[in-house]
Amino acid sequence: DTAVSQTPKYLVTQMGNDKSIKCEQNLGHDTMYWYKQDSKKFLKIMFSYNNKELIINETVPNRFSPKSPDKAHLNLHINSLELGDSAVYFCASSQVGGGETQYFGPGTRLLVL
Amino acid sequence: QKEVEQNSGPLSVPEGAIASLNCTYSDRGSQSFFWYRQYSGKSPELIMFIYSNGDKEDGRFTAQLNKASQYVSLLIRDSQPSDSATYLCAVNIGGGSEKLVFGKGTKLTVNP
């Protein structure tokens, strides 16, 4: 059974397009996260939701909009994609907050042309 | 700006040797410390976590924490080629935000 899953695994798109990435966890965790890992492999948090409520919103362009329909799902919608958005986006979940172990999904590799 | 610093490496050790990975952090209020391993093209996976000063051992892995020095390390004994990966140090930045801040990772290569 996959604990944290993401779709799609790969996403190639043109600049200016809008795209979404979906994440689901079946661990019963309360908190979910979106991270961005750039070409230099630096992993940085973007958003965190606890039981559908936004907890962390880092300095991320407002073209990025997370949405949590329930505590098992956290989706990421990106408007007007730019070249600099090319990265690997990881979803993660944990039982409570950042002090607990986080489990990562397989990642979505986004390439903006 | 609360930071987590790691030597980016690469760190190269022969098979069977001890690999030592180091991490320093800036937030004195941090309470939770994690080591993740990331193979190329894969997602980070937890190796160990440590909350208290001192050593914590799990098989070939030992995490060491010194809160006074704001220093956490990971020792890998009897290193194997399969340990070749990037190791990410992560620190829980508290003060209400409850987020993990990751270091930039140390790339380890274990040579047969």
Side-chain angles (χ1 to χ4, degrees), chain B residues 4-80:
Chain B
V4 176
E5 299 284 344
Q6 293 181 253
N7 289 332
S8 59
L11 175 65
S12 184
V13 301
E15 184 174 354
I18 295 175
S20 178
L21 304 161
N22 304 316
C23 174
T24 58
Y25 59 95
S26 62
D27 181 21
R28 285 198 168 273
S30 297
Q31 297 293 324
S32 309
F33 307 87
F34 304 84
W35 283 101
Y36 283 82
R37 177 177 63 198
Q38 187 174 25
Y39 292 114
S40 181
K42 301 294 185 181
S43 59
E45 57 177 329
L46 182 72
I47 297 295
M48 293 193 70
F49 62 86
I50 186 167
Y51 300 146
S52 303
N53 275 331
D55 295 359
K56 180 181 179 182
E57 188 174 317
D58 183 1
R60 296 186 296 110
F61 298 93
T62 299
Q64 299 174 317
L65 175 61
N66 183 326
K67 289 185 179 180
S69 300
Q70 295 175 243
Y71 175 91
V72 58
S73 66
L74 180 70
L75 300 178
I76 307 174
R77 290 182 299 282
D78 188 24
S79 295
Q80 301 297 308

Side-chain angles (χ1 to χ4, degrees), chain A residues 37 58 98 101-102 105 109, chain B residues 36 38 41 43 46 97-99:
Chain A
Q37 189 169 45
E58 289 294 286
T101 300
Q102 295 184 18
R109 284 147 185 82
Chain B
Y36 283 82
Q38 187 174 25
S43 59
L46 182 72
S97 68
E98 292 294 320
K99 70 178 184 181

Side-chain angles (χ1 to χ4, degrees), chain A residues 35 37 40-43 45 55-56 58 90 97-106 109, chain B residues 1 32 34 36 38 41-44 46 49 51 88 92 96-100 102-104:
Chain A
Y35 286 88
Q37 189 169 45
K40 295 184 178 179
K41 308 299 183 187
F42 187 35
L43 191 63
I45 191 166
I55 302 297
I56 296 172
E58 289 294 286
F90 287 103
E100 301 289 328
T101 300
Q102 295 184 18
Y103 297 87
F104 285 79
R109 284 147 185 82
Chain B
Q1 184 80 13
S32 309
F34 304 84
Y36 283 82
Q38 187 174 25
K42 301 294 185 181
S43 59
L46 182 72
F49 62 86
Y51 300 146
L88 303 170
N92 166 233
S97 68
E98 292 294 320
K99 70 178 184 181
L100 275 188
F102 283 80
K104 294 187 177 182

